[in-house]
Amino acid sequence: MKEYSSKHRILILGASGFIGNAIYKELLGYFRTFGTYRIPKKIFEDNHQFFQYNVEEDDVYEVLKATKPTIIISCLRGEFRAQTIAHQHIAEYLVEHNCKLIFLSSANVFDAYSKYPSYELDKTLSGSIYGHFKIKIENMLLRLPKKKVAIVRLPMVLGSQSPRLKELKQHLQNKTAIEIFPNIIMNVTTDSKLTQQIHYIINQDKYGIFHLGSTDLVHHDDYFKDIVEQITSKNEVLYKHVYTTNEDRYLAVLPKFNKLPKHLEITSTEVLEDLTK
Ligand SMILES: NC(=O)c1ccc[n+]([C@@H]2O[C@H](COP(=O)([O-])OP(=O)(O)OC[C@H]3O[C@@H](n4cnc5c(N)ncnc54)[C@H](OP(=O)(O)O)[C@@H]3O)[C@@H](O)[C@H]2O)c1
């Protein structure tokens, strides 16, 4: 049996997904790491560290009982009400056990504010159902003892295997239009930088709210055009310009109070370079 230097047992909820699976691969060699998947696939069924879990049908407590995690990383998608109940059960587990939660939240918790980028301590306010849902879970978690929770707010996460990049490539192949949002100013990151940041948060026993976006901001339309240039030599690319407002809108999460070390920061140019790796 493999010897692990750390005392941690890690459970990744949503370990079959884009981000969850990247985190699983990053942590696997260092910690006793378990994961969940929803859709049966041989690769997960054959892996005895993986458990099938559907947030709408199963009780998360069963997975917690079977894996006894000291760190839970929540990378789930799924029906919002069911996810809220699951996170309530997780919160109860945290209080009763020596366990901490890392919750993947989103820049959308600020999507009702448009005039400025957002920092960790800014008040959340959302105009979207998704943003509302993330705020509800965040608020529930912020009532727990503070060392029990790390909330990581993410901007758009890109990477060579990211669903967004695959979608872009599909559009290029099918010669269909790529949606770009000229009014949106955002930051971005990659799955590979994010996994290093999560690893650091675990190793250093960090807690609180983290804004894990690139240090600089980009316009959505310019940036998507840069991505397209990076991944294809085609000249004729179709774009559909989507204007949600007349003025520029920020959807950006910048760190100010809870910064990670310099080597864990990323710029939008580095994100771009990462896409062809
Ligand atoms: N990707 C981004 O740009 C981004 C940005 C901000 C925040 N986030 C947050 O990061 C987290 C992970 O996002 P992602 O992009 O990695 O998503 P993803 O690729 O769609 O993965 C979602 C994971 O959740 C599982 N899942 C979906 N429905 C489920 C259900 N009903 N019951 C149980 N498990 C279910 C999936 O399992 P199956 O694969 O088996 O279906 C998969 O493991 C989410 O909480 C998301 O809000 C992502």
Side-chain angles (χ1 to χ4, degrees):
M1 201 163 138
K2 190 163 179 176
E3 287 285 325
Y4 294 94
S5 57
S6 164
K7 59 188 187 303
H8 283 308
R9 292 168 69 86
I10 298 189
L11 170 64
I12 302 169
L13 298 169
S16 54
F18 164 52
I19 297 176
N21 203 249
I23 297 174
Y24 178 75
K25 287 178 180 153
E26 165 77 20
L27 301 181
L28 180 65
Y30 302 91
F31 306 99
R32 194 79 202 275
T33 309
F34 303 92
T36 69
Y37 61 96
R38 177 190 49 151
I39 299 166
K41 274 196 199 123
K42 191 157 174 17
I43 185 173
F44 302 127
E45 286 171 317
D46 289 350
N47 182 340
H48 297 301
Q49 315 301 318
F50 270 64
F51 295 76
Q52 189 172 17
Y53 165 66
N54 184 334
V55 73
E56 284 138 49
E57 292 166 8
D58 306 319
D59 188 342
V60 74
Y61 230 95
E62 293 302 318
V63 186
L64 297 173
K65 234 171 32 192
T67 55
K68 299 184 183 61
T70 57
I71 294 186
I72 302 165
I73 308 176
S74 169
C75 312
L76 282 179
R77 291 200 194 262
E79 209 249 315
F80 292 157
R81 219 163 40 154
Q83 273 201 68
T84 307
I85 295 169
H87 284 86
Q88 276 162 357
H89 291 170
I90 291 169
E92 285 163 24
Y93 182 90
L94 295 178
V95 173
E96 290 161 9
H97 297 82
N98 175 23
C99 183
K100 173 179 165 183
L101 172 69
I102 301 176
F103 176 67
L104 267 54
S105 189
S106 160
N108 282 84
V109 298
F110 297 110
D111 65 17
Y113 296 116
S114 56
K115 291 197 184 317
Y116 310 99
S118 305
Y119 298 96
E120 299 94 321
L121 303 181
D122 290 352
K123 193 172 155 32
T124 51
L125 189 68
S126 170
S128 67
I129 298 172
Y130 174 62
H132 264 271
F133 153 71
K134 289 286 189 189
I135 291 175
K136 190 169 174 184
I137 305 239
E138 280 195 6
N139 287 344
M140 179 168 77
L141 298 176
L142 289 170
R143 287 195 288 271
L144 295 172
K146 63 179 184 191
K147 291 193 176 171
K148 292 261 173 196
V149 178
I151 292 172
V152 300
R153 295 191 182 129
L154 307 176
M156 185 182 288
V157 184
L158 295 160
S160 58
Q161 296 308 312
S162 65
R164 272 197 184 84
L165 209 71
K166 287 183 183 163
E167 195 190 7
L168 270 186
K169 286 180 178 166
Q170 200 65 55
H171 279 303
L172 291 170
Q173 204 181 340
N174 301 345
K175 300 193 168 83
T176 45
I178 296 167
E179 283 196 344
I180 50 175
F181 297 78
N183 292 137
I184 292 190
I185 301 172
M186 58 180 195
N187 57 354
V188 286
T189 190
T190 63
D191 56 330
S192 57
K193 185 56 75 174
L194 172 61
T195 56
Q196 291 167 26
Q197 292 167 325
I198 300 241
H199 200 155
Y200 176 86
I201 289 171
I202 293 171
N203 276 347
Q204 301 295 317
D205 219 359
K206 296 273 177 197
Y207 54 87
I209 298 174
F210 296 87
H211 280 191
L212 300 185
S214 56
T215 46
D216 59 325
L217 306 180
V218 291
H219 268 95
H220 187 285
D221 57 343
D222 295 337
Y223 198 68
F224 268 58
K225 285 178 184 169
D226 287 346
I227 295 177
V228 168
E229 235 173 74
Q230 183 90 351
I231 61 174
T232 179
S233 50
K234 285 185 184 168
N235 290 326
E236 280 174 37
V237 179
L238 281 178
Y239 291 105
K240 179 180 170 192
H241 294 75
V242 185
Y243 291 89
T244 48
T245 51
N246 289 329
E247 289 162 18
D248 277 349
R249 273 188 61 203
Y250 284 88
L251 196 60
V253 275
L254 290 172
K256 192 192 278 183
F257 305 102
N258 213 6
K259 284 192 174 177
L260 297 182
K262 274 261 175 273
H263 74 277
L264 290 174
E265 289 181 351
I266 193 162
T267 64
S268 63
T269 311
E270 287 166 335
V271 172
L272 209 53
E273 286 161 4
D274 205 60
L275 300 184
T276 46
K277 276 184 191 161

